[in-house]
Amino acid sequence: MEEYKTPKELAEETIIYAGEMDPMDRNDFIDLICDQFLIAKYRAKYPKREVKKFATLLSKLVKKFGN
């Protein structure tokens, strides 16, 4: 059975994953998360809670690694 993770756990794992990347790949990865956030917010009209998850993740990534 697959274990489901909370949004906080997924964000923490994503930050660890990004930390293991080389800087150029990490910047591309953060840009991808940013693009997904913008699509979720403005084009796809995701539910607000999902948009907030993207925003929180993006904020944590930028605070941790800059961009």
Side-chain angles (χ1 to χ4, degrees):
M1 179 178 262
E2 190 173 325
E3 179 183 334
Y4 293 101
K5 299 183 184 205
T6 65
K8 184 176 180 179
E9 291 172 329
L10 288 172
E12 290 171 1
E13 285 185 14
T14 303
I15 290 169
I16 292 169
Y17 175 71
E20 295 172 353
M21 295 178 172
D22 66 68
M24 293 302 292
D25 288 338
R26 184 173 35 239
N27 284 342
D28 290 342
F29 180 71
I30 292 171
D31 286 342
L32 177 65
I33 298 292
C34 182
D35 290 344
Q36 290 175 338
F37 164 70
L38 294 173
I39 288 169
K41 185 171 183 176
Y42 296 111
R43 288 196 177 178
K45 302 294 184 189
Y46 277 50
K48 286 184 181 183
R49 70 178 188 277
E50 296 298 320
V51 173
K52 184 176 180 188
K53 289 176 191 176
F54 273 114
T56 302
L57 175 59
L58 182 60
S59 175
K60 288 180 181 184
L61 285 168
V62 171
K63 284 179 184 176
K64 175 89 174 166
F65 303 109
N67 197 4

